[in-house]
Amino acid sequence: EAAALNGIRQHLGISESPADVKVTLWPKALPQYMVGHHQVLRNLNSMRLRHLPWLQMAGAGYFGTRSAADEIVDARQLADS
């Protein structure tokens, strides 16, 4: 709760406390990737293409949270490659 309030205060630039606070944890929610995750995976893919071109990688974790339709497109491209 304190971390959420602090983040909101910093983001909105306010110092007042809210009249009511409710925190809800969503354990099965979409993952929040660390800053730089996309670049790390781009580097990994670049090295994979140079050193292990036969190795194929797919899945939501490689490109971040996306729709099922995006995953189908990726799988089709992978199958066609």
Side-chain angles (χ1 to χ4, degrees):
E1 184 177 298
L5 287 172
N6 188 38
I8 290 171
R9 285 187 183 114
Q10 288 179 4
H11 181 71
L12 298 177
I14 59 174
S15 59
E16 294 83 10
S17 294
D20 189 32
V21 176
K22 179 179 179 180
V23 176
T24 303
L25 298 177
W26 296 87
K28 295 184 180 181
L30 300 175
Q32 301 296 310
Y33 295 96
M34 300 292 290
V35 173
H37 175 78
H38 184 68
Q39 185 61 46
V40 168
L41 291 180
R42 288 180 63 191
N43 294 342
L44 174 67
N45 192 50
S46 177
M47 287 188 292
R48 178 194 64 83
L49 289 171
R50 266 186 271 130
H51 301 288
L52 302 168
W54 50 266
L55 179 65
Q56 301 293 330
M57 299 179 354
Y62 293 108
F63 301 106
T65 304
R66 302 177 322 150
S67 71
D70 290 326
E71 297 307 322
I72 292 168
V73 169
D74 287 347
R76 180 160 295 168
Q77 288 175 345
L78 180 64
D80 291 343
S81 66

